[in-house]
Amino acid sequence: MLEPISPRGRISARSVVLGVCGVVVIAGYALYNDFKLDNTYFIGSHFPIGVTLMMFILILGINPCLGPRRLRSAELLLIWSMWLVACAFPAGGLLGRLIPWMVTPFYLLPQHPEWESVVTMLP
């Protein structure tokens, strides 16, 4: 039988707040960095370097300064997971590919009539 989770392993409100703040930073800065500054992608790869840098700063820079109220591993895992899920939406993630995929059949229809069967099934 599995042991119940101890109170030390529970997720706290501060980890959710830090996760949401990071999601806002990722969503805002990724678009600015990728399209306005035209820099290397902040999160646009299989290994999101921007999120890794943010986590590095959190673990090695901020967490030791918290003293006895440091973030536990369960809280850090929740923050990391929230940040990685947030990488799927802005810039070259989900929205960078979803919009073109939605219009591709209509775009290709004039030159490729075989797309007619696909277009008739779309709303």
Side-chain angles (χ1 to χ4, degrees):
M1 183 178 215
L2 295 174
E3 293 291 321
I5 297 175
S6 69
R8 291 189 67 210
R10 292 198 177 144
I11 304 302
S12 66
R14 67 182 179 161
S15 62
V16 174
V17 169
L18 279 172
V20 169
C21 290
V23 165
V24 170
V25 168
I26 290 166
Y29 185 71
L31 293 172
Y32 177 74
N33 178 68
D34 297 352
F35 298 116
K36 179 69 174 169
L37 298 178
D38 202 25
N39 285 336
T40 302
Y41 292 132
F42 185 66
I43 56 170
S45 66
H46 296 298
F47 184 72
I49 193 70
V51 175
T52 306
L53 176 66
M54 288 172 53
M55 199 66 187
F56 182 78
I57 292 169
L58 177 65
I59 291 173
L60 296 179
I62 297 171
N63 208 24
C65 297
L66 297 176
R69 296 190 43 102
R70 281 179 289 190
L71 293 164
R72 296 180 305 274
S73 59
E75 294 173 314
L76 290 170
L77 183 62
L78 174 71
I79 293 168
W80 176 250
S81 301
M82 289 175 71
W83 291 357
L84 286 179
V85 169
C87 292
F89 297 102
L94 175 70
L95 292 181
R97 289 169 176 77
L98 180 64
I99 305 295
W101 287 344
M102 289 173 22
V103 299
T104 297
F106 300 102
Y107 176 76
L108 293 176
L109 186 60
Q111 293 86 13
H112 302 280
E114 61 270 12
W115 279 95
E116 182 67 38
S117 60
V118 175
V119 171
T120 58
M121 291 185 281
L122 298 175

